[in-house]
Coordinates of all heavy atoms in Angstrom, one line a residue:
M1 N 71.2 101.8 51.6 CA 71.0 100.5 52.3 C 69.8 100.6 53.1 O 69.7 101.4 54.1 CB 72.3 100.3 53.1 CG 72.1 99.1 54.0 SD 73.5 98.9 55.2 CE 74.9 99.4 54.4
L2 N 68.8 99.9 52.8 CA 67.5 99.8 53.6 C 67.4 98.5 54.3 O 67.6 97.4 53.7 CB 66.3 100.0 52.7 CG 66.2 101.4 52.0 CD1 65.1 101.4 51.1 CD2 66.1 102.5 53.1
L3 N 67.1 98.6 55.6 CA 66.9 97.3 56.4 C 65.5 97.3 57.0 O 65.2 98.3 57.7 CB 68.0 97.3 57.5 CG 69.4 97.4 57.1 CD1 70.3 97.6 58.3 CD2 69.9 96.2 56.3
F4 N 64.8 96.3 56.6 CA 63.4 96.2 57.1 C 63.3 95.1 58.1 O 62.8 94.0 57.8 CB 62.4 96.1 56.0 CG 62.4 97.2 55.0 CD1 63.1 97.1 53.8 CD2 61.8 98.4 55.4 CE1 63.1 98.2 52.9 CE2 61.8 99.5 54.5 CZ 62.5 99.4 53.3
N5 N 63.8 95.3 59.3 CA 63.8 94.2 60.3 C 63.9 94.9 61.7 O 64.7 95.9 61.9 CB 65.1 93.3 60.1 CG 65.1 92.1 61.0 OD1 64.8 92.2 62.2 ND2 65.4 91.0 60.4
S6 N 63.1 94.4 62.6 CA 63.0 95.1 63.9 C 64.3 94.9 64.7 O 64.5 95.6 65.7 CB 61.9 94.5 64.7 OG 62.0 93.1 64.9
N7 N 65.2 94.0 64.3 CA 66.5 93.9 65.0 C 67.5 95.0 64.7 O 68.5 95.1 65.3 CB 67.1 92.5 64.6 CG 66.3 91.4 65.1 OD1 65.7 91.4 66.2 ND2 66.3 90.3 64.3
Y8 N 67.2 95.8 63.7 CA 68.1 96.8 63.3 C 67.7 98.2 63.7 O 66.5 98.5 63.7 CB 68.3 96.8 61.7 CG 69.0 95.6 61.2 CD1 68.2 94.5 60.8 CD2 70.3 95.5 61.2 CE1 68.8 93.4 60.3 CE2 71.0 94.3 60.7 CZ 70.2 93.3 60.3 OH 70.8 92.1 59.8
E9 N 68.6 99.0 64.1 CA 68.4 100.4 64.4 C 69.5 101.2 63.7 O 70.5 100.7 63.3 CB 68.5 100.6 65.9 CG 67.4 100.0 66.7 CD 66.1 100.8 66.7 OE1 66.1 102.0 66.4 OE2 65.1 100.2 67.1
V10 N 69.3 102.5 63.7 CA 70.3 103.4 63.1 C 70.9 104.1 64.3 O 70.2 104.8 65.0 CB 69.7 104.4 62.1 CG1 70.8 105.3 61.6 CG2 69.2 103.6 60.9
G11 N 72.2 104.0 64.4 CA 73.0 104.7 65.5 C 73.5 106.0 64.9 O 73.8 106.1 63.7
V12 N 73.8 106.9 65.8 CA 74.4 108.2 65.5 C 75.8 108.2 66.1 O 75.9 108.1 67.3 CB 73.5 109.3 66.0 CG1 74.2 110.7 65.6 CG2 72.1 109.3 65.4
F13 N 76.8 108.3 65.3 CA 78.2 108.4 65.7 C 78.3 109.7 66.6 O 77.9 110.8 66.3 CB 79.1 108.6 64.5 CG 80.5 108.8 64.8 CD1 81.4 107.8 65.0 CD2 81.0 110.1 64.9 CE1 82.7 108.0 65.3 CE2 82.3 110.4 65.2 CZ 83.2 109.3 65.4
K14 N 78.9 109.4 67.8 CA 79.2 110.6 68.7 C 80.7 110.9 68.7 O 81.1 112.0 68.5 CB 78.7 110.3 70.1 CG 77.2 110.3 70.3 CD 76.8 110.0 71.7 CE 77.0 111.2 72.6 NZ 76.5 111.0 73.9
R15 N 81.5 109.8 69.0 CA 83.0 110.1 69.1 C 83.7 108.7 69.2 O 83.1 107.7 69.4 CB 83.3 110.9 70.3 CG 83.1 110.2 71.6 CD 83.4 111.1 72.8 NE 83.0 110.5 74.1 CZ 81.8 110.4 74.6 NH1 80.8 111.0 74.0 NH2 81.6 109.8 75.8
L16 N 85.0 108.8 69.0 CA 85.9 107.7 69.2 C 86.6 108.0 70.5 O 87.2 109.1 70.6 CB 86.8 107.5 68.1 CG 86.2 106.9 66.8 CD1 87.2 106.9 65.7 CD2 85.7 105.5 67.0
S17 N 86.6 107.1 71.5 CA 87.3 107.3 72.7 C 88.7 106.6 72.6 O 89.0 106.0 71.6 CB 86.5 106.7 73.9 OG 85.3 107.4 74.0
E18 N 89.4 106.8 73.7 CA 90.7 106.1 73.7 C 90.5 104.6 73.6 O 89.5 104.0 73.9 CB 91.4 106.4 75.0 CG 91.8 107.9 75.2 CD 92.5 108.1 76.5 OE1 93.1 107.2 77.1 OE2 92.5 109.3 76.9
N19 N 91.6 103.9 73.1 CA 91.5 102.4 73.0 C 90.5 102.0 72.0 O 89.9 100.9 72.1 CB 91.3 101.8 74.3 CG 92.3 102.2 75.4 OD1 93.5 102.3 75.1 ND2 91.9 102.4 76.6
N20 N 90.3 102.7 70.9 CA 89.4 102.3 69.8 C 88.0 102.0 70.2 O 87.4 101.1 69.8 CB 90.0 101.1 69.0 CG 91.2 101.4 68.2 OD1 91.6 102.6 68.1 ND2 91.8 100.4 67.7
E21 N 87.5 102.8 71.1 CA 86.1 102.7 71.5 C 85.2 103.6 70.8 O 85.4 104.8 70.8 CB 85.9 102.9 73.0 CG 86.6 101.8 73.9 CD 86.5 102.1 75.3 OE1 86.3 103.2 75.8 OE2 86.6 101.1 76.1
L22 N 84.2 103.1 70.1 CA 83.2 103.9 69.4 C 82.0 104.2 70.4 O 81.5 103.3 71.0 CB 82.6 103.1 68.2 CG 81.4 103.6 67.6 CD1 81.6 105.0 66.9 CD2 80.8 102.6 66.6
V23 N 81.7 105.5 70.5 CA 80.6 105.9 71.3 C 79.5 106.4 70.3 O 79.8 107.2 69.5 CB 81.0 107.0 72.3 CG1 79.8 107.4 73.1 CG2 82.1 106.6 73.1
M24 N 78.3 105.8 70.4 CA 77.2 106.2 69.5 C 75.9 106.1 70.3 O 75.8 105.3 71.2 CB 77.2 105.4 68.3 CG 76.9 103.9 68.4 SD 76.9 103.2 66.8 CE 76.0 101.7 67.1
D25 N 74.9 106.9 69.8 CA 73.6 106.8 70.4 C 72.7 105.9 69.4 O 72.7 106.1 68.2 CB 72.9 108.2 70.4 CG 73.5 109.0 71.5 OD1 74.0 108.5 72.5 OD2 73.5 110.3 71.4
V26 N 72.0 105.0 70.0 CA 71.0 104.2 69.3 C 69.7 104.3 70.0 O 69.6 103.9 71.2 CB 71.5 102.7 69.2 CG1 70.4 101.9 68.5 CG2 72.8 102.6 68.6
G27 N 68.8 105.0 69.4 CA 67.5 105.3 70.1 C 67.8 106.3 71.3 O 68.5 107.3 71.1
S28 N 67.4 105.9 72.4 CA 67.7 106.7 73.6 C 68.8 106.2 74.4 O 69.1 106.7 75.5 CB 66.4 106.8 74.5 OG 66.0 105.5 74.9
E29 N 69.5 105.2 73.9 CA 70.7 104.6 74.7 C 72.0 105.0 74.1 O 72.1 105.1 72.9 CB 70.5 103.1 74.7 CG 69.3 102.6 75.5 CD 69.3 101.1 75.7 OE1 70.4 100.5 76.0 OE2 68.3 100.5 75.4
E30 N 73.0 105.1 74.9 CA 74.4 105.3 74.4 C 75.1 103.9 74.5 O 75.0 103.2 75.5 CB 75.1 106.3 75.3 CG 76.5 106.6 74.9 CD 77.2 107.6 75.7 OE1 77.1 108.8 75.3 OE2 77.8 107.2 76.7
Y31 N 75.8 103.6 73.4 CA 76.5 102.4 73.3 C 78.0 102.7 73.2 O 78.4 103.6 72.5 CB 76.1 101.5 72.1 CG 74.8 100.8 72.3 CD1 73.6 101.5 72.0 CD2 74.7 99.5 72.7 CE1 72.4 100.9 72.2 CE2 73.5 98.9 72.8 CZ 72.3 99.6 72.6 OH 71.1 98.9 72.7
I32 N 78.8 101.9 73.8 CA 80.3 102.0 73.7 C 80.7 100.6 73.2 O 80.6 99.6 73.9 CB 80.9 102.4 75.0 CG1 80.4 103.7 75.5 CG2 82.4 102.4 74.9 CD1 80.9 104.1 76.9
L33 N 81.3 100.6 72.0 CA 81.8 99.4 71.4 C 83.3 99.4 71.2 O 83.8 100.4 70.7 CB 81.1 99.1 70.0 CG 79.6 99.1 70.0 CD1 79.1 99.1 68.6 CD2 79.1 97.9 70.8
K34 N 84.0 98.4 71.7 CA 85.4 98.3 71.5 C 85.7 97.7 70.1 O 85.2 96.7 69.7 CB 86.0 97.3 72.6 CG 87.5 97.1 72.4 CD 88.3 98.2 73.0 CE 89.7 97.7 73.0 NZ 90.6 98.8 73.0
L35 N 86.4 98.4 69.3 CA 86.7 98.0 67.9 C 88.2 97.7 67.7 O 89.1 98.3 68.3 CB 86.4 99.2 66.9 CG 85.0 99.7 67.0 CD1 84.8 100.9 66.0 CD2 83.9 98.7 66.7
N36 N 88.4 96.6 66.9 CA 89.8 96.3 66.6 C 90.3 97.2 65.5 O 89.5 98.0 64.9 CB 90.0 94.8 66.3 CG 89.2 94.4 65.1 OD1 89.0 95.1 64.1 ND2 88.7 93.2 65.1
D37 N 91.5 97.1 65.0 CA 92.1 98.0 64.0 C 91.3 97.8 62.7 O 91.1 98.8 62.0 CB 93.6 97.7 63.8 CG 94.4 98.2 65.0 OD1 93.9 99.0 65.8 OD2 95.5 97.7 65.1
E38 N 91.0 96.6 62.3 CA 90.3 96.4 61.1 C 88.9 97.1 61.1 O 88.4 97.7 60.2 CB 90.1 94.9 60.8 CG 89.5 94.6 59.4 CD 89.4 93.1 59.2 OE1 90.2 92.3 59.7 OE2 88.4 92.8 58.4
E39 N 88.2 96.9 62.2 CA 86.9 97.5 62.4 C 87.0 99.0 62.4 O 86.1 99.7 61.9 CB 86.2 97.1 63.7 CG 85.8 95.6 63.7 CD 85.4 95.1 65.0 OE1 86.0 95.5 66.1 OE2 84.5 94.2 65.1
M40 N 88.1 99.6 62.9 CA 88.3 101.0 62.9 C 88.4 101.5 61.4 O 87.8 102.5 61.1 CB 89.5 101.4 63.7 CG 89.3 101.3 65.2 SD 88.2 102.5 65.8 CE 89.1 104.0 65.6
E41 N 89.2 100.8 60.6 CA 89.3 101.1 59.2 C 88.0 101.0 58.5 O 87.6 101.9 57.7 CB 90.4 100.2 58.5 CG 91.8 100.5 59.0 CD 92.8 99.5 58.4 OE1 92.4 98.9 57.4 OE2 93.9 99.4 58.9
D42 N 87.2 100.0 58.8 CA 85.9 99.8 58.2 C 85.0 101.0 58.6 O 84.2 101.5 57.7 CB 85.3 98.5 58.6 CG 86.0 97.3 57.9 OD1 86.8 97.5 57.0 OD2 85.7 96.1 58.4
L43 N 85.0 101.4 59.8 CA 84.2 102.5 60.3 C 84.5 103.8 59.6 O 83.7 104.5 59.1 CB 84.3 102.6 61.8 CG 83.6 103.8 62.4 CD1 82.1 103.7 62.2 CD2 83.9 104.0 63.9
E44 N 85.8 104.0 59.4 CA 86.3 105.2 58.7 C 85.8 105.2 57.3 O 85.2 106.2 56.8 CB 87.8 105.3 58.7 CG 88.3 106.5 58.0 CD 89.8 106.6 58.0 OE1 90.5 106.0 58.9 OE2 90.4 107.2 57.1
Q45 N 85.9 104.1 56.6 CA 85.5 104.0 55.2 C 83.9 104.2 55.1 O 83.4 104.8 54.2 CB 85.8 102.6 54.6 CG 85.5 102.5 53.1 CD 86.3 103.5 52.3 OE1 87.5 103.6 52.4 NE2 85.6 104.1 51.4
H46 N 83.2 103.6 56.1 CA 81.8 103.7 56.1 C 81.4 105.2 56.2 O 80.5 105.7 55.5 CB 81.2 102.9 57.3 CG 79.7 103.2 57.5 ND1 78.7 102.5 56.7 CD2 79.0 104.0 58.3 CE1 77.5 102.9 57.1 NE2 77.7 103.8 58.1
L47 N 82.0 105.9 57.2 CA 81.6 107.3 57.4 C 82.0 108.2 56.2 O 81.2 109.1 55.8 CB 82.4 107.9 58.6 CG 81.9 107.2 60.0 CD1 82.8 107.7 61.1 CD2 80.4 107.5 60.2
V48 N 83.1 107.8 55.5 CA 83.4 108.6 54.2 C 82.4 108.3 53.2 O 81.9 109.2 52.5 CB 84.8 108.2 53.8 CG1 85.1 108.7 52.4 CG2 85.9 108.7 54.7
N49 N 82.0 107.0 53.0 CA 81.0 106.6 52.0 C 79.7 107.3 52.2 O 79.0 107.7 51.3 CB 80.9 105.1 51.9 CG 82.0 104.4 51.3 OD1 82.9 105.0 50.7 ND2 82.1 103.1 51.5
Q50 N 79.2 107.3 53.5 CA 77.9 107.8 53.8 C 77.8 109.3 53.8 O 76.7 109.8 53.7 CB 77.4 107.2 55.1 CG 77.3 105.7 55.1 CD 76.4 105.2 54.0 OE1 75.3 105.7 53.9 NE2 76.9 104.3 53.3
E51 N 78.9 109.9 54.1 CA 79.0 111.4 54.2 C 78.0 111.9 55.3 O 77.4 113.0 55.2 CB 78.7 112.1 52.9 CG 79.7 111.7 51.8 CD 79.5 112.3 50.5 OE1 78.4 113.0 50.3 OE2 80.3 112.2 49.6
N52 N 77.7 111.0 56.3 CA 77.0 111.4 57.4 C 77.4 110.6 58.6 O 78.3 109.8 58.5 CB 75.5 111.3 57.2 CG 75.0 109.9 56.9 OD1 75.4 109.0 57.6 ND2 74.2 109.8 55.9
L53 N 76.8 110.7 59.7 CA 77.3 110.0 60.9 C 76.3 108.9 61.4 O 76.3 108.6 62.5 CB 77.4 111.1 62.1 CG 78.5 112.2 61.8 CD1 78.5 113.2 62.9 CD2 79.8 111.6 61.5
L54 N 75.5 108.4 60.4 CA 74.6 107.3 60.7 C 75.2 106.0 60.5 O 75.8 105.7 59.5 CB 73.3 107.5 59.9 CG 72.6 108.8 60.1 CD1 71.4 108.9 59.2 CD2 72.2 109.1 61.5
I55 N 75.0 105.1 61.4 CA 75.6 103.7 61.4 C 74.5 102.7 61.7 O 74.0 102.6 62.8 CB 76.7 103.5 62.4 CG1 77.8 104.6 62.2 CG2 77.3 102.1 62.3 CD1 78.8 104.7 63.3
P56 N 74.1 101.9 60.7 CA 73.1 100.8 61.0 C 73.7 99.8 62.0 O 74.9 99.5 62.0 CB 72.9 100.1 59.6 CG 73.3 101.2 58.6 CD 74.4 101.9 59.3
F57 N 72.9 99.4 62.9 CA 73.3 98.6 64.1 C 72.4 97.5 64.3 O 71.2 97.7 64.4 CB 73.4 99.6 65.3 CG 73.9 99.0 66.5 CD1 75.2 98.6 66.7 CD2 73.0 98.9 67.6 CE1 75.7 98.1 67.9 CE2 73.5 98.4 68.8 CZ 74.8 98.0 69.0
H58 N 72.9 96.2 64.5 CA 72.1 95.1 64.8 C 71.9 95.0 66.3 O 72.9 94.8 67.0 CB 72.7 93.8 64.3 CG 71.8 92.6 64.3 ND1 71.5 91.9 65.4 CD2 71.0 92.1 63.3 CE1 70.6 91.0 65.2 NE2 70.3 91.0 63.9
M59 N 70.7 95.2 66.9 CA 70.5 95.3 68.3 C 70.9 94.0 69.1 O 71.4 94.1 70.2 CB 69.1 95.7 68.6 CG 68.7 97.1 68.0 SD 69.7 98.4 68.8 CE 69.0 98.4 70.4
K60 N 70.6 92.9 68.5 CA 70.8 91.6 69.2 C 72.3 91.2 69.3 O 72.8 90.8 70.3 CB 70.0 90.5 68.6 CG 68.5 90.6 68.9 CD 67.7 89.4 68.4 CE 66.3 89.6 68.8 NZ 65.4 88.5 68.3
T61 N 72.9 91.4 68.1 CA 74.4 90.9 68.0 C 75.3 92.1 68.4 O 76.5 91.8 68.5 CB 74.7 90.4 66.6 OG1 74.6 91.5 65.7 CG2 73.8 89.2 66.2
K62 N 74.8 93.3 68.5 CA 75.6 94.5 68.7 C 76.7 94.7 67.6 O 77.8 95.1 67.8 CB 76.3 94.4 70.1 CG 75.4 94.2 71.2 CD 74.4 95.3 71.4 CE 73.6 95.0 72.7 NZ 72.2 95.0 72.5
E63 N 76.3 94.3 66.4 CA 77.2 94.4 65.2 C 76.9 95.6 64.4 O 75.7 95.9 64.2 CB 77.0 93.1 64.4 CG 77.8 93.1 63.1 CD 77.5 91.9 62.3 OE1 76.5 91.2 62.5 OE2 78.3 91.6 61.4
L64 N 77.9 96.3 64.0 CA 77.8 97.4 63.1 C 77.6 96.9 61.7 O 78.2 95.9 61.3 CB 79.0 98.3 63.1 CG 79.4 98.9 64.5 CD1 80.7 99.6 64.4 CD2 78.3 99.8 65.0
I65 N 76.7 97.5 60.9 CA 76.5 97.1 59.5 C 77.1 98.3 58.7 O 76.5 99.3 58.5 CB 75.0 97.0 59.2 CG1 74.3 96.1 60.2 CG2 74.8 96.5 57.8 CD1 74.8 94.7 60.4
L66 N 78.3 98.0 58.2 CA 79.1 99.1 57.6 C 79.2 98.9 56.1 O 79.4 97.9 55.6 CB 80.5 99.1 58.2 CG 80.6 99.3 59.7 CD1 82.0 99.2 60.2 CD2 80.0 100.6 60.1
N67 N 79.1 100.1 55.4 CA 79.3 100.1 54.0 C 80.8 100.5 53.7 O 81.2 101.6 53.9 CB 78.4 101.2 53.3 CG 78.7 101.4 51.9 OD1 79.4 100.7 51.2 ND2 78.1 102.5 51.3
T68 N 81.6 99.4 53.4 CA 83.0 99.6 53.2 C 83.5 99.6 51.8 O 84.7 99.7 51.5 CB 83.8 98.5 54.0 OG1 83.4 97.3 53.6 CG2 83.4 98.7 55.5
K69 N 82.6 99.5 50.8 CA 83.0 99.4 49.4 C 83.3 100.9 49.0 O 82.5 101.8 49.3 CB 81.9 98.9 48.6 CG 81.6 97.4 48.9 CD 80.5 96.9 48.0 CE 80.2 95.4 48.3 NZ 79.2 94.9 47.6
P70 N 84.4 101.1 48.3 CA 84.7 102.4 47.8 C 83.6 102.9 46.9 O 82.9 102.1 46.2 CB 86.0 102.2 47.0 CG 86.5 100.9 47.4 CD 85.4 100.1 47.9
N71 N 83.4 104.2 46.9 CA 82.4 104.8 46.1 C 82.7 105.0 44.6 O 82.0 105.4 43.8 CB 82.0 106.2 46.6 CG 81.2 106.2 47.9 OD1 80.5 105.2 48.1 ND2 81.1 107.3 48.6
Y72 N 83.9 104.6 44.3 CA 84.4 104.7 42.9 C 85.2 103.5 42.5 O 85.7 102.8 43.4 CB 85.2 106.0 42.7 CG 86.4 106.0 43.6 CD1 87.6 105.5 43.2 CD2 86.4 106.6 44.9 CE1 88.7 105.5 44.0 CE2 87.5 106.6 45.7 CZ 88.7 106.0 45.2 OH 89.8 106.0 46.0
D73 N 85.4 103.3 41.3 CA 86.2 102.2 40.7 C 87.6 102.8 40.4 O 87.6 103.8 39.6 CB 85.6 101.6 39.5 CG 86.3 100.5 38.9 OD1 87.4 100.1 39.5 OD2 85.9 100.0 37.9
E74 N 88.6 102.3 41.0 CA 90.0 102.9 40.7 C 90.3 102.9 39.3 O 90.9 103.9 38.8 CB 91.0 102.1 41.5 CG 91.1 102.4 43.0 CD 92.3 101.8 43.6 OE1 93.4 101.8 43.1 OE2 92.1 101.3 44.7
E75 N 90.0 101.9 38.5 CA 90.3 101.9 37.1 C 89.6 103.0 36.3 O 90.2 103.7 35.5 CB 90.0 100.6 36.4 CG 90.9 99.4 36.9 CD 90.6 98.1 36.2 OE1 89.9 98.1 35.2 OE2 91.0 97.1 36.8
E76 N 88.3 103.2 36.7 CA 87.5 104.3 36.1 C 88.1 105.7 36.4 O 88.3 106.6 35.6 CB 86.1 104.3 36.5 CG 85.3 103.1 35.9 CD 83.9 103.1 36.4 OE1 83.4 104.2 36.9 OE2 83.2 102.1 36.2
M77 N 88.5 105.8 37.7 CA 89.1 107.1 38.1 C 90.5 107.4 37.4 O 90.7 108.5 36.9 CB 89.4 107.1 39.6 CG 88.1 107.2 40.4 SD 87.1 108.7 40.0 CE 88.1 109.9 40.7
E78 N 91.3 106.3 37.2 CA 92.5 106.5 36.5 C 92.3 106.8 35.0 O 93.0 107.7 34.5 CB 93.3 105.2 36.6 CG 94.7 105.3 36.0 CD 95.6 104.0 36.3 OE1 95.4 103.5 37.4 OE2 96.3 103.7 35.4
E79 N 91.3 106.2 34.4 CA 91.0 106.5 33.0 C 90.5 108.0 32.9 O 90.9 108.7 32.0 CB 89.9 105.6 32.5 CG 89.5 105.7 31.1 CD 88.4 104.7 30.6 OE1 88.3 103.6 31.3 OE2 87.7 105.1 29.7
L80 N 89.7 108.4 33.8 CA 89.2 109.8 33.8 C 90.3 110.8 34.0 O 90.4 111.8 33.3 CB 88.1 110.0 34.8 CG 86.8 109.3 34.6 CD1 85.9 109.5 35.8 CD2 86.1 109.9 33.4
M81 N 91.3 110.4 34.8 CA 92.4 111.3 35.0 C 93.3 111.4 33.8 O 93.8 112.5 33.4 CB 93.3 110.8 36.2 CG 92.6 111.0 37.6 SD 93.4 110.3 39.0 CE 95.0 110.8 38.9
N82 N 93.5 110.3 33.1 CA 94.2 110.2 31.9 C 93.5 111.1 30.8 O 94.2 111.8 30.0 CB 94.5 108.8 31.4 CG 95.4 108.1 32.2 OD1 96.2 108.6 33.0 ND2 95.3 106.7 32.2
I83 N 92.2 110.9 30.7 CA 91.5 111.7 29.7 C 91.6 113.2 30.0 O 91.8 114.0 29.2 CB 90.0 111.3 29.7 CG1 89.8 109.9 29.1 CG2 89.1 112.3 29.0 CD1 88.5 109.3 29.3
S84 N 91.5 113.6 31.3 CA 91.7 114.9 31.7 C 93.0 115.5 31.4 O 93.2 116.6 30.9 CB 91.4 115.0 33.3 OG 91.7 116.3 33.7
E85 N 94.1 114.7 31.6 CA 95.4 115.2 31.3 C 95.6 115.4 29.8 O 96.2 116.3 29.4 CB 96.5 114.2 31.8 CG 96.6 114.1 33.3 CD 97.4 113.0 33.8 OE1 98.0 112.3 33.0 OE2 97.6 112.9 35.0
G86 N 95.0 114.5 29.0 CA 95.0 114.7 27.5 C 94.3 115.9 27.1 O 94.7 116.6 26.1
A87 N 93.2 116.3 27.7 CA 92.4 117.4 27.4 C 93.1 118.7 27.7 O 92.9 119.7 27.0 CB 91.1 117.4 28.1
E88 N 94.0 118.7 28.7 CA 94.7 119.9 29.0 C 95.6 120.4 27.8 O 95.7 121.6 27.6 CB 95.6 119.7 30.2 CG 94.9 119.5 31.5 CD 95.8 119.1 32.7 OE1 97.0 119.0 32.5 OE2 95.2 118.9 33.7
G89 N 96.2 119.5 27.1 CA 97.0 119.9 26.0 C 96.3 120.1 24.7 O 96.8 120.7 23.7
H90 N 95.0 119.7 24.6 CA 94.2 119.8 23.4 C 93.9 121.3 23.1 O 93.5 122.0 24.0 CB 92.9 119.0 23.6 CG 92.1 119.0 22.3 ND1 92.5 118.3 21.2 CD2 90.9 119.6 22.0 CE1 91.6 118.5 20.3 NE2 90.6 119.3 20.8
G91 N 94.1 121.7 21.9 CA 93.7 123.0 21.5 C 94.9 124.0 21.6 O 94.8 125.1 21.3
E92 N 96.0 123.5 22.2 CA 97.2 124.4 22.3 C 98.0 124.3 21.1 O 98.2 123.2 20.6 CB 98.0 124.1 23.6 CG 97.3 124.4 24.8 CD 98.1 124.0 26.1 OE1 99.3 123.7 25.9 OE2 97.6 124.0 27.2
D93 N 98.6 125.4 20.6 CA 99.4 125.3 19.4 C 100.9 125.4 19.8 O 101.3 125.9 20.6 CB 99.1 126.4 18.4 CG 97.7 126.2 17.9 OD1 97.3 125.1 17.6 OD2 97.0 127.3 17.6

């Protein structure tokens, strides 16, 4: 995800505080954002998808830009698992 706009910065996740507060560094500033339960789930999915602690952040709206789409298609994964299970028995007499 590339953002070419001066309103966006990349924040670095620091920690989650009590009461669903996200603490992150954006540039030289520390931001504390109160997140609801849905935003907490979205943040968790984003961090899993990105495999790092970087979070795009809109400076004016103080909005997190999160990648919440799964990295895989469930149907494809199920198909691969079925193929794998079939291959285990292949070649056995």
Side-chain angles (χ1 to χ4, degrees):
M1 172 189 324
L2 295 174
L3 305 172
F4 298 104
N5 187 317
S6 62
N7 293 325
Y8 294 94
E9 292 280 340
V10 175
V12 179
F13 174 89
K14 287 180 76 174
R15 68 182 176 278
L16 288 173
S17 296
E18 294 181 22
N19 303 321
N20 290 355
E21 291 179 335
L22 167 66
V23 180
M24 66 181 201
D25 286 333
V26 180
S28 61
E29 294 186 45
E30 181 176 271
Y31 285 84
I32 300 174
L33 304 172
K34 177 81 172 156
L35 304 178
N36 62 36
D37 289 340
E38 183 179 335
E39 291 170 325
M40 287 292 290
E41 290 176 18
D42 289 347
L43 176 62
E44 179 182 335
Q45 184 64 48
H46 173 82
L47 293 173
V48 167
N49 287 348
Q50 297 304 308
E51 299 178 355
N52 61 46
L53 301 177
L54 302 178
I55 304 169
F57 182 69
H58 193 282
M59 296 297 290
K60 288 186 179 179
T61 64
K62 308 296 186 235
E63 178 184 15
L64 302 175
I65 312 300
L66 302 174
N67 174 10
T68 58
K69 294 181 182 177
N71 283 342
Y72 60 88
D73 181 3
E74 280 188 45
E75 289 180 21
E76 287 179 18
M77 290 301 290
E78 187 174 322
E79 184 179 334
L80 289 172
M81 288 172 52
N82 290 337
I83 291 170
S84 175
E85 289 172 4
E88 289 174 2
H90 185 71
E92 293 180 9
D93 293 325

